Amino acid sequence: MKNNITNEICQKCAGCCKDYPYVRLSRSEIHALEKLTGLPLDVFSNQKDEDGEEYFLNFKDNGDCFFLNENNGSYSCSVYESRSETCRNYPSKPEQIAVCNSKQEMVLLK
């Protein structure tokens, strides 16, 4: 299974995979990630409420997504094929689109 970010600009930016406040995970997304990675949910997610109904993706100490990999300035997602709906739909809000477009312009200028 290929788990790479397919867009060249996204490979160089990965801004949406850094310091993103909450990436909600559904039960089916958790199951898919557990199956793909072999990791238990408490390794890659946080329980948001006491009832265990809401889970969110963990981020590394540096703010990067738990599944984001960096190699010589190029980024890849180790679970790209099983990434969450939030990740699949990004950018979906006007302010996200504006930020994404501005970062794309910066990447293209380099």
Side-chain angles (χ1 to χ4, degrees):
M1 177 183 301
K2 186 177 181 184
N3 291 314
N4 292 323
I5 299 169
T6 56
N7 182 306
E8 185 177 347
I9 292 173
C10 296
Q11 289 172 358
K12 293 181 184 348
C13 175
C16 56
C17 304
K18 301 174 184 178
D19 299 314
Y20 197 91
Y22 297 104
V23 176
R24 185 183 311 259
L25 297 172
S26 70
R27 292 271 181 204
S28 62
E29 291 168 340
I30 289 170
H31 178 71
L33 290 169
E34 286 176 319
K35 185 176 178 181
L36 177 68
T37 65
L39 299 171
L41 74 105
D42 63 331
V43 171
F44 60 82
S45 68
N46 288 313
Q47 186 174 334
K48 182 65 175 169
D49 64 352
E50 292 177 14
D51 298 329
E53 296 298 318
E54 290 190 59
Y55 289 88
F56 293 90
L57 190 61
N58 275 342
F59 283 76
K60 299 173 189 171
D61 290 339
N62 68 359
D64 289 358
C65 172
F66 183 81
F67 296 114
L68 182 65
N69 298 316
E70 189 270 333
N71 185 14
N72 294 325
S74 185
Y75 296 93
S76 65
C77 173
S78 63
V79 295
Y80 189 78
E81 300 300 323
S82 296
R83 68 196 186 281
S84 73
E85 184 177 343
T86 300
C87 299
R88 288 178 190 276
N89 294 330
Y90 191 93
S92 61
K93 298 177 182 176
E95 54 275 3
Q96 292 172 337
I97 293 169
V99 168
C100 190
N101 286 341
S102 69
K103 288 187 177 195
Q104 285 185 25
E105 289 174 16
M106 289 172 33
V107 169
L108 289 174
L109 292 174
K110 289 183 178 182

